Amino acid sequence: MFSWMAWTWPTALLFIGIFSAIGVLVVLEIRHPGGDARKGVLGLTTTRGDRLFISLLGSSYIFLAWLGLMGPPLWVPLGLALAWSTFCFWKV
């Protein structure tokens, strides 16, 4: 199915997850307009989309740092990335 781009299933699932998160944000924005802006721990006023972007960016840095320093078993950085994303949506 994904052979035309030489994708693996984990890569496809990553992009499906990102696009699904964006779709959920679109539905939330339609149902509750305004973006739920709030001031977080970092002193930034963020909306839901900003928090998604910060969590995705931070998660990519977590994975890249782990791969550069530790190597391939990626279960620990997955947990760290999920914790970072939870922190971003609750606090930032």
Side-chain angles (χ1 to χ4, degrees), residues 55 59 62 76-90:
S55 66
S59 296
I62 289 170
V76 174
L78 177 63
L80 292 172
L82 290 173
W84 169 250
S85 297
T86 303
F87 174 75
C88 283
F89 272 91
W90 277 354

Side-chain angles (χ1 to χ4, degrees), residues 17-37:
I18 291 171
F19 291 132
S20 298
I22 292 171
V24 167
L25 288 180
V26 167
V27 170
L28 283 173
E29 187 64 29
I30 291 170
R31 295 187 83 151
H32 306 287
D36 190 26

Side-chain angles (χ1 to χ4, degrees), residues 5-89:
M5 281 188 66
W7 278 17
T8 61
W9 275 106
T11 305
L13 290 175
L14 173 76
F15 281 101
I16 289 169
I18 291 171
F19 291 132
S20 298
I22 292 171
V24 167
L25 288 180
V26 167
V27 170
L28 283 173
E29 187 64 29
I30 291 170
R31 295 187 83 151
H32 306 287
D36 190 26
R38 59 184 165 180
K39 190 167 184 169
V41 190
L42 300 175
L44 301 172
T45 302
T46 60
T47 62
R48 289 184 288 252
D50 296 332
R51 290 189 291 274
L52 176 65
F53 178 74
I54 291 169
S55 66
L56 289 174
L57 193 63
S59 296
S60 66
Y61 286 135
I62 289 170
F63 276 101
L64 288 174
W66 185 271
L67 281 172
L69 298 173
M70 304 299 279
L74 297 177
W75 293 110
V76 174
L78 177 63
L80 292 172
L82 290 173
W84 169 250
S85 297
T86 303
F87 174 75
C88 283
F89 272 91

